[in-house]
Amino acid sequence: MAVPVTPRPCGFLAIRNPKRYVDPIYADMLQLLAFVALTNINDKMTQRMQKMIKAPRDIHDANDIYVRLLGEFALITDNGTLTAEDCEWSSTPAFLSYLAIRQNKIHQAYELDNVFFKEHNGSMKTVYNMVSHARTDLQPLGKSDLVPTARADGYKLNSKYHISTDLSRFDKLYNEIIHSGSSYRTYHNCIQIFEMYDTDIQLDLYDDTVQYLTEEYRTKYFTVLEKLFQILYESGDY
């Protein structure tokens, strides 16, 4: 005698001696125990995913850096984490987030001036100060060279560092959700994105790419929620 561990079947709960346990009451009890087992499995999976989200697997050595953009800013290194509260200068989180999002581009000082200080009549000196302040805020982590001083061709995050973001993790999970044929795997990938996506990208800047990405990830997030609700509806888990 056996019953599936449902919804989202992940196995069977069975009685090993069906000749002895033939009363239908045992089937009802077995289904109840299967539900209890699934609840325990889901709790453990949720706890494990939360730990994975809070402790990125991308940090392996001193040159690995992980930047959180979907919610409160955090720059995670092997030597600690820099949050907005840790920064002495309020411009640092937005500046580092922007460079992380557009890390393949070299930014001229006048471009940064237009992105960050367009309405405040900024100057090149304002940009230089923003860069200097970011380097100062990174010093406690020993990563001030993440933002090199002024170069002739502009500013860019130091290429010696391997920089990843939660956007790249989001993309990987999202692609698996779209192309996976397993509802069980899709469900847990949806939960990971749900746990990861605290808010939209929090950058109010004059940059079309940032504004486009903000809308793109918001749309993807709602697509994931729709997929999650569909799975829950089909499994009868309301």
Side-chain angles (χ1 to χ4, degrees):
M1 182 186 299
V3 297
V5 180
T6 59
R8 299 178 300 281
C10 58
F12 289 87
L13 198 64
I15 294 179
R16 297 183 61 181
N17 190 347
K19 292 183 178 180
R20 179 180 178 185
Y21 300 103
V22 295
D23 194 307
I25 193 174
Y26 291 113
D28 294 336
M29 182 178 296
L30 203 58
Q31 289 179 338
L32 177 60
L33 292 174
F35 175 77
V36 173
L38 181 66
T39 300
N40 185 262
I41 291 171
N42 285 341
D43 287 343
K44 290 184 181 297
M45 288 290 292
T46 300
Q47 292 173 10
R48 187 174 70 179
M49 287 185 293
Q50 288 176 340
K51 289 180 180 179
M52 289 170 59
I53 292 168
K54 293 179 180 179
R57 293 171 294 175
D58 308 74
I59 307 300
H60 302 292
D61 59 44
N63 289 333
D64 290 332
I65 292 178
Y66 181 88
V67 182
R68 187 180 302 146
L69 300 165
L70 296 172
E72 294 295 329
F73 165 81
L75 186 144
I76 304 170
T77 75
D78 68 315
N79 200 33
T81 299
L82 179 70
T83 66
E85 293 181 353
D86 300 321
C87 295
E88 182 179 354
W89 307 94
S90 59
S91 60
T92 295
F95 179 53
L96 294 178
S97 296
Y98 180 70
L99 293 186
I101 288 178
R102 307 204 62 185
Q103 58 185 280
N104 294 324
K105 174 179 169 55
I106 297 176
H107 306 270
Q108 299 291 335
Y110 75 88
E111 293 175 324
L112 293 175
D113 180 47
N114 288 332
V115 168
F116 285 91
F117 308 110
K118 188 173 183 178
E119 287 189 351
H120 300 86
N121 297 318
S123 64
M124 297 302 103
K125 183 178 180 180
T126 308
V127 173
Y128 300 152
N129 287 339
M130 180 174 65
V131 174
S132 177
H133 295 162
R135 288 172 55 83
T136 299
D137 283 329
L138 287 165
Q139 281 180 355
L141 299 179
K143 309 293 183 186
S144 59
D145 62 338
L146 175 63
V147 183
T149 53
R151 307 188 324 178
D153 56 348
Y155 295 94
K156 187 177 185 294
L157 293 180
N158 194 331
S159 59
K160 89 171 190 178
Y161 291 104
H162 312 131
I163 302 163
S164 59
T165 70
D166 51 0
L167 299 184
S168 59
R169 293 184 65 193
F170 184 107
D171 287 338
K172 181 179 179 181
L173 292 169
Y174 182 82
N175 289 334
E176 289 183 2
I177 289 169
I178 297 302
H179 299 105
S180 175
S182 167
S183 60
Y184 180 76
R185 183 179 183 84
T186 298
Y187 168 78
H188 286 290
N189 284 341
C190 286
I191 293 297
Q192 286 192 64
I193 284 184
F194 182 74
E195 295 286 347
M196 181 191 307
Y197 199 103
D198 288 340
T199 67
D200 295 333
I201 298 172
Q202 299 292 295
L203 289 177
D204 185 17
L205 303 175
Y206 294 95
D207 185 280
D208 292 339
T209 298
V210 171
Q211 294 176 9
Y212 171 80
L213 286 175
T214 302
E215 292 297 328
E216 178 185 11
Y217 282 95
R218 180 186 298 129
T219 300
K220 287 182 176 180
Y221 176 67
F222 283 117
T223 300
V224 170
L225 285 184
E226 183 179 355
K227 188 70 173 177
L228 177 60
F229 292 152
Q230 179 185 348
I231 293 173
L232 294 176
Y233 177 79
E234 290 176 352
S235 66
D237 188 353
Y238 308 122

